[in-house]
Amino acid sequence: MEGNTETKLKLNGADAILKVLDEQGVEVIFGYPGGAVLPIYDALFKSNSIKHILVRHEQAAVHAAEGYARSTGKVGVVLVTSGPGATNAVTGLTDALMDSVPIVCLSGQVPTHLIGNDAFQEADTTGITRPCTKHNYLVKDVQKLCSTLHEAFHVARTGRPGPVVIDLPKDIQLSECEYVSRQDRHGRRYKPSTDPDKNKIIQVAKLLVNAKKPIIYGGGGLINSGPEASKLLKELVHITGIPTTLTLMGLGAFPCDDKLFLGMLGMHGTYEANLSMYNCDVMLNIGARFDDRITGNLKEFSPNSKKIHIDIDPSSINKSVAVEIPIVSDATFAMQELIKELKKLKFERAENRIGVWLKQIDEWRGRKCLNFTQQGSVIKPQYAIKRLYEKTKDIETYITTEVGQHQMWAAQYYGFSKPNRWMTSGGLGTMGYGFPSAMGVQVAHPGKLVIDIAGEASFLMNMQELSTVAQYKLPVKVFIINNQWMGMVRQWQQLIHGGRYSESYTESLPDFKALAEAFGLVGLRAESVDQLDGVIDQMISSKSAVVCDVQVSKDENCFPMIPSGAAHYDMLLSSEDKQKNSVSQDGMVLV
Amino acid sequence: MTDKKEIRCTLSVLVDNEPGVLARVIGLFSGRGYNIESLTVAEIDDLDSISRISIVTCGTPMVIEQIKAQLRRLVPVHDIDDLSDKSFHVERELALVKIANTGSSRIEALRIAQSFRAHTIDSTLDSFVFEITGNSSKLAAFISLMRAIGEVEIARSGVCAMSRGKISNLKQREDML
Ligand SMILES: Cc1ncc(C[n+]2csc(CCOP(=O)(O)OP(=O)(O)O)c2C)c(N)n1
Ligand SMILES: [Mg+2]
């Protein structure tokens, strides 16, 4: 396999696949074997350039690859067998599509002559995954194998990134082909444009410095654009003095402790961020997509602002919110140009230019919407996350989450100041994402602290991966905010369904400490406030994977909250608020 | 852009003729709840295996823009022409119309066919099959007249369309896999 990259190199399909992966810079594959991928596993056995992490469920393989990709900016690679292997991967692929994560997933398929025959472990993988991938392929001609694989990597990482599936019939893996190297691949279809329209950038610069109530609203595109984008955002904000808010996906793109940071916006965003969005006169959206969690009631979304939208994906622009200045561009390139233009303009300092606005925002900040009081011995979930942040903020830490209240509290109370440190399932909201994702992050960053802030119900969805972290000695920490409820479901039932708590209690929970120990890992438990700090310290200093069961108050709700269908000014700040703003009939049908 | 009125729109889409490409396009429309009034597809370049898909759809201007952007995002899609953007484009559809009747209405059917310049391509003692081409409204008018005078069976091809004037050429063919 080694050495000769001359043309006319002949290889069997499986070896060619590994050679392409190698050439594409792949260091690790997350996978699970089966009949239809045995030739690839055989090739892996003989190769030593690529590491394979054997997960315990294919969904976890994709989430692990997502964690790897989101924390490094590289493409995450998955290998699964045909039929059930591929169908198990579907949730992960959909998650990666929604959150724009570059994934290449190789799936085995029954041999070409059996396709369509309901063969053993046959599934129409390209049919099933067509709507949940950015693109997919079924390779039926071994001579097209290499160029298809190269194109798959190109598609996964270019433009708005996303998952790509390549379905590989077993006979293709076993037949011989001519190797095609990365640069020899003919042609390059799929060439999304990444450079901004300069004239529009000039317009934007003028709009920004003449605005009286401007706001910058950044999203996951800032992270996907690479670390340079976060630096440029900081520069942009500091040149203009414009207050800035980030979506759940964008957290980390701007330092949380900067005084121009308004916190996260949206359904569980801060009072100041949401009111600034509602009242602004110029909104600069960089790499966010006006998701329904962000806009709330569309009719009342920021009614008096001129909107600028920079996005690499033209289909994200003018989808739900019509904007005045659409700019199709990579965030980095757009901000480089914008900063250049701003430097040519003369404008007053922010205090003079937009002083009234900044004062107004300070007033909103004064509501201290994230305040809570920790009293008594029962641990408040917010307090647990706050302490976790305080104890890890000076260590290089990567945070993943599951889905639910704990996820929102993590977004609210854990501070992020660097990109690629925060991995959460935003678009799909996949319970069970956080633990395998943390595994992938840990593989990419050995020796770094990786913590999955989990809910007890979510953790149960992929806890089989305890076996994987034990096998590879991945010292992932699972910090379970254990409220014994599907807390987010319970909260909606309390606020919207008259307190009828239908099937949202997590019965028969395991003893998480003993569970960890059963896998030879460390289990910890904090039952009262006085135990919390000690347990966090132990968790951080442990060399092993740790499951840390933090037993918190059971009926805490996550605030602020904009109920579905409500406008930004209709925020609930506490349980007492719920009486005056009951959820409308229209809001009830929304999720 | 924020106009709420629905418009009809004809899109001409050039795609790689590869397996699954039609499913991808149709899946996009059904998955996102867009309308398809008509869709035709056939290979138009066997050397580079390129197909043209003609789609007639309707929606608000914002939705139409979305449809175009979403189509453009598909990897095998090379080019999209919104023909309704241009005042110059031609559209044709073909229909086969079978009518079963007797006596004077049978003669009436022939007369109407003549004035619509439909061809008679099959005839039995109590039926005709007419072939008619034209724009969709001409076809609709013809069919409704036929319905008034007999029992009718119809097959329509869907709309084929292209712009007038200069050749809209494909992007570089080296793009091919
Ligand atoms: C796979 C999946 N199934 C169902 C849901 C709906 N859901 C959202 S949050 C939630 C409860 C999560 O409970 P837990 O993990 O304990 O977190 P908590 O809200 O209590 O912090 C559920 C069931 C989901 N997001 N994902
Ligand atoms: Mg819970």
Side-chain angles (χ1 to χ4, degrees):
Chain A
M1 272 230 12
E2 60 265 3
N4 191 5
T5 47
E6 298 276 87
T7 44
K8 302 269 175 301
L9 175 64
K10 292 220 173 16
L11 292 172
N12 87 15
D15 289 328
I17 291 166
L18 287 199
K19 193 165 170 60
V20 171
L21 298 188
D22 201 24
E23 219 195 319
Q24 291 286 344
V26 176
E27 295 155 344
V28 57
I29 301 177
F30 302 90
Y32 205 91
V37 282
L38 284 179
I40 302 177
Y41 273 88
D42 202 35
L44 264 175
F45 189 81
K46 293 180 254 163
S47 142
N48 46 19
S49 61
I50 297 176
K51 185 173 171 167
H52 179 272
I53 302 283
L54 176 66
V55 295
R56 301 310 193 252
H57 187 293
E58 290 86 350
Q59 181 192 354
V62 187
H63 292 326
E66 285 186 274
Y68 177 90
R70 288 176 67 170
S71 65
T72 59
K74 298 180 194 164
V75 178
V77 180
V78 177
L79 174 58
V80 298
T81 192
S82 65
T87 55
N88 269 351
V90 164
T91 302
L93 293 168
T94 312
D95 191 272
L97 183 71
M98 294 289 269
D99 284 348
S100 314
V101 188
I103 297 290
V104 166
C105 174
L106 310 174
S107 56
Q109 182 55 281
V110 301
T112 24
H113 69 274
L114 286 180
I115 290 178
N117 271 294
D118 302 317
F120 178 61
Q121 295 199 325
E122 179 184 0
D124 175 8
T125 301
T126 44
I128 292 170
T129 61
R130 198 170 289 125
C132 67
T133 52
K134 185 172 172 187
H135 193 55
N136 64 15
Y137 304 87
L138 168 62
V139 180
K140 282 180 156 171
D141 171 2
V142 74
Q143 298 310 333
K144 289 191 177 151
L145 174 64
C146 296
S147 44
T148 302
L149 285 161
H150 286 300
E151 185 179 86
F153 276 88
H154 170 69
V155 170
R157 65 162 81 92
T158 317
R160 177 174 175 181
V164 177
V165 165
I166 307 144
D167 206 22
L168 300 160
K170 196 171 179 181
D171 55 325
I172 297 289
Q173 301 168 34
L174 291 167
S175 18
E176 194 181 70
C177 68
E178 227 165 70
Y179 186 73
V180 178
S181 67
R182 193 172 173 175
Q183 67 272 14
D184 289 345
R185 169 170 86 85
H186 339 255
R188 264 152 230 227
R189 57 176 190 174
Y190 190 70
K191 286 175 276 189
S193 62
T194 53
D195 281 324
D197 174 338
K198 305 264 154 59
N199 290 324
K200 286 185 181 167
I201 294 284
I202 296 172
Q203 268 179 300
V204 173
K206 286 187 186 141
L207 254 181
L208 285 182
V209 299
N210 289 314
K212 290 285 160 250
K213 300 189 276 182
I215 184 168
I216 294 175
Y217 142 51
L222 289 164
I223 311 287
N224 272 336
S225 179
E228 184 63 16
S230 300
K231 283 190 204 136
L232 290 166
L233 177 64
K234 210 151 106 182
E235 191 181 348
L236 175 65
V237 173
H238 287 156
I239 292 176
T240 56
I242 298 178
T244 297
T245 176
L246 294 170
T247 66
L248 182 75
M249 296 298 293
L251 293 178
F254 191 72
C256 64
D257 51 5
D258 193 293
K259 64 180 194 318
L260 286 168
F261 186 51
L262 300 172
M264 179 175 79
L265 79 161
M267 184 173 270
H268 293 289
T270 65
Y271 188 69
E272 51 272 30
N274 286 331
L275 283 188
S276 303
M277 288 290 278
Y278 183 76
N279 289 289
C280 66
D281 65 351
V282 170
M283 175 191 298
L284 171 59
N285 169 349
I286 311 176
R289 58 183 176 91
F290 295 110
D291 177 78
D292 55 70
R293 299 287 102 159
I294 295 304
T295 60
N297 186 344
L298 271 176
K299 284 193 211 95
E300 300 217 56
F301 175 67
S302 193
N304 302 313
S305 60
K306 278 212 159 61
K307 299 175 187 72
I308 304 145
H309 188 179
I310 300 173
D311 204 298
I312 198 160
D313 173 15
S315 73
S316 286
I317 300 180
N318 283 326
K319 182 171 64 179
S320 51
V321 173
V323 300
E324 277 72 19
I325 310 185
I327 298 178
V328 176
S329 170
D330 187 299
T332 300
F333 301 145
M335 283 190 289
Q336 274 167 351
E337 291 300 322
L338 183 54
I339 288 169
K340 230 190 269 169
E341 285 309 319
L342 283 165
K343 283 181 174 164
K344 291 186 199 157
L345 296 177
K346 282 214 177 62
F347 51 93
E348 286 204 75
R349 303 167 43 138
E351 299 88 89
N352 305 329
R353 220 174 69 239
I354 53 172
V356 183
W357 175 236
L358 294 175
K359 236 170 88 201
Q360 169 68 73
I361 289 175
D362 272 340
E363 237 165 75
W364 291 327
R365 266 207 186 101
R367 282 292 290 264
K368 295 199 186 308
C369 67
L370 293 178
N371 258 15
F372 63 91
T373 28
Q374 169 66 49
Q375 46 182 257
S377 65
V378 182
I379 305 169
K380 284 228 175 190
Q382 299 93 325
Y383 181 70
I385 291 171
K386 192 157 169 263
R387 288 308 293 155
L388 180 69
Y389 173 53
E390 281 159 0
K391 286 187 168 290
T392 55
K393 68 176 169 193
D394 298 323
I395 313 169
E396 204 174 319
T397 306
Y398 294 79
I399 301 287
T400 71
T401 76
E402 307 291 341
V403 170
Q405 291 181 318
H406 64 277
Q407 175 190 31
M408 293 300 122
W409 284 318
Q412 293 171 333
Y413 296 96
Y414 198 96
F416 296 92
S417 291
K418 285 187 184 156
N420 307 100
R421 297 288 195 276
W422 162 247
M423 273 61 56
T424 192
S425 172
L428 196 63
T430 313
M431 289 170 70
Y433 166 86
F435 183 39
S437 171
M439 238 160 56
V441 176
Q442 189 79 73
V443 167
H445 306 274
K448 295 283 153 40
L449 183 58
V450 183
I451 305 173
D452 169 30
I453 298 181
E456 77 296 333
S458 296
F459 179 64
L460 292 181
M461 285 212 177
N462 265 325
M463 65 178 183
Q464 77 284 347
E465 298 306 317
L466 285 169
S467 173
T468 313
V469 299
Q471 179 182 347
Y472 296 96
K473 302 202 170 23
L474 298 170
V476 168
K477 320 296 186 219
V478 186
F479 191 72
I480 302 179
I481 303 293
N482 183 354
N483 52 12
Q484 297 180 30
W485 285 88
M486 297 172 200
M488 193 56 97
V489 175
R490 189 202 51 71
Q491 175 167 348
W492 280 52
Q493 289 173 333
Q494 181 188 337
L495 298 178
I496 303 168
H497 294 275
R500 292 177 295 279
Y501 300 118
S502 180
E503 304 292 327
S504 51
Y505 185 67
T506 331
E507 275 295 339
S508 306
L509 283 171
D511 175 339
F512 287 110
K513 184 169 178 298
L515 180 70
E517 285 160 5
F519 284 89
L521 307 171
V522 173
L524 297 170
R525 181 178 299 129
E527 287 165 321
S528 58
V529 129
D530 53 310
Q531 296 168 347
L532 181 64
D533 277 19
V535 159
I536 294 176
D537 289 337
Q538 264 179 284
M539 177 181 87
I540 295 171
S541 59
S542 173
K543 297 255 181 301
S544 158
V546 178
V547 178
C548 186
D549 178 7
V550 183
Q551 306 195 334
V552 299
S553 48
K554 295 183 193 174
D555 50 4
E556 197 65 29
N557 283 337
C558 184
F559 291 113
M561 176 178 183
I562 303 175
S564 283
H568 277 164
Y569 54 79
D570 246 347
M571 247 168 297
L572 309 180
L573 291 181
S574 69
S575 290
E576 290 76 66
D577 266 1
K578 73 171 187 278
Q579 253 58 27
K580 51 182 202 286
N581 326 29
S582 65
V583 172
S584 67
Q585 208 56 36
D586 286 350
M588 191 101 163
V589 302
L590 300 173
V591 289
Chain B
M1 214 34 183
T2 46
D3 199 350
K4 290 279 176 295
K5 240 181 63 204
E6 292 209 345
I7 50 173
R8 183 173 178 275
C9 157
T10 307
L11 301 174
S12 169
V13 188
L14 292 176
V15 300
D16 287 325
N17 182 17
E18 62 185 25
V21 64
L22 187 59
R24 226 177 271 289
V25 169
I26 292 173
L28 171 70
F29 275 76
S30 65
R32 294 187 181 265
Y34 305 143
N35 299 307
I36 299 183
E37 280 185 6
S38 134
L39 184 145
T40 66
V41 56
E43 189 172 78
I44 55 164
D45 178 342
D46 56 353
L47 216 69
D48 290 332
S49 65
I50 296 290
S51 294
R52 185 193 294 274
I53 305 181
S54 305
I55 307 169
V56 181
T57 180
C58 63
T60 62
M62 202 157 152
V63 167
I64 300 289
E65 284 311 307
Q66 256 304 297
I67 292 174
K68 290 193 268 178
Q70 292 289 354
L71 281 170
R72 211 162 271 135
R73 215 153 73 125
L74 301 179
V75 173
V77 167
H78 287 276
D79 214 4
I80 296 164
D81 221 355
D82 181 351
L83 297 173
S84 10
D85 266 359
K86 306 186 171 68
S87 38
F88 304 119
H89 85 273
V90 285
E91 268 188 36
R92 282 294 178 270
E93 188 176 354
L94 181 141
L96 299 180
V97 180
K98 187 192 286 172
I99 178 157
N101 56 8
T102 50
S104 62
S105 38
R106 185 164 156 81
I107 298 171
E108 188 57 28
L110 257 188
R111 266 203 212 109
I112 295 172
Q114 244 161 29
S115 67
F116 273 79
R117 277 185 273 178
H119 300 293
T120 312
I121 57 171
D122 183 56
S123 160
T124 66
L125 289 177
D126 51 10
S127 76
F128 288 117
V129 177
F130 298 120
E131 172 202 315
I132 177 167
T133 40
N135 59 28
S136 304
S137 58
K138 174 180 166 186
L139 266 55
F142 180 70
I143 289 165
S144 82
L145 286 175
M146 288 293 130
R147 280 213 168 101
I149 53 169
E151 210 188 325
V152 166
E153 192 184 323
I154 292 151
R156 290 174 74 153
S157 65
V159 172
C160 258
M162 63 166 53
S163 60
R164 288 182 56 204
K166 84 179 199 307
I167 304 276
S168 45
N169 58 331
L170 284 179
K171 292 208 188 107
Q172 287 302 310
R173 285 296 59 230
E174 44 127 85
D175 285 2
M176 298 290 303
L177 245 187

